[in-house]
Amino acid sequence: MAAYVEHAAYYVNQMDWYLNFFQQVFQMPVQKQRQGADGLREVWLEGGVQLCETTAPALEDGRCAHLCLIVEDLEQAREKGLSLGCTPMEKYHWIRLPDGLCIEMFPAAEGVVPALQKLVKRKA
């Protein structure tokens, strides 16, 4: 089975700085955003980066919040993960690895993952 990164989410303490960085350096415009009742923002940028604002003082910017993968077979990926010691999370398409990393999974349309893999230019 194959998978492809859909997006990676990172905790940041300085949301405006990170937005400016990704927009200026990589030309990644905001795709969508939302603000929680606590006033903290989540921002998705074109290109697969999600920024999750936090005020946790001990948390360094750039800590991974979760990794989202496009998978060919969601059921199979979930069951294999659980059989290897991952734990299920509240939402069915999420699992937590033994070290705490959360994986979100989206099912791919048929043939999408192999097509995406062919697009990547690999160096020998």
Side-chain angles (χ1 to χ4, degrees):
M1 180 188 16
Y4 201 82
V5 174
E6 199 278 335
H7 72 267
Y10 298 93
Y11 290 114
V12 298
N13 294 115
Q14 303 172 46
M15 179 65 82
D16 293 329
W17 187 93
Y18 275 83
L19 285 174
N20 183 61
F21 172 81
F22 281 102
Q23 291 172 340
Q24 296 296 317
V25 176
F26 300 111
Q27 292 81 47
M28 298 172 81
V30 172
Q31 187 175 42
K32 78 175 188 178
Q33 54 187 317
R34 71 175 170 217
Q35 187 168 351
D38 56 6
L40 298 175
R41 299 171 285 171
E42 286 185 274
V43 179
W44 290 261
L45 304 173
E46 288 185 15
V49 174
Q50 178 184 352
L51 302 173
C52 304
E53 189 172 38
T54 182
T55 57
L59 184 63
E60 294 182 22
D61 281 349
R63 181 170 164 221
C64 186
H66 69 271
L67 183 63
C68 180
L69 300 176
I70 297 172
V71 297
E72 287 183 310
D73 186 329
L74 175 61
E75 297 288 329
Q76 183 182 37
R78 183 177 187 277
E79 290 307 313
K80 281 185 179 181
L82 295 176
S83 75
L84 292 172
C86 295
T87 55
M89 296 181 69
E90 185 175 327
K91 293 183 179 178
Y92 182 81
H93 64 290
W94 287 73
I95 57 174
R96 184 180 311 277
L97 281 63
D99 68 356
L101 177 64
C102 298
I103 303 287
E104 178 182 17
M105 298 171 286
F106 291 155
E110 188 174 334
V112 166
V113 172
L116 287 171
Q117 289 172 328
K118 288 179 185 178
L119 291 173
V120 177
K121 188 174 186 178
R122 293 192 176 29
K123 294 181 180 180

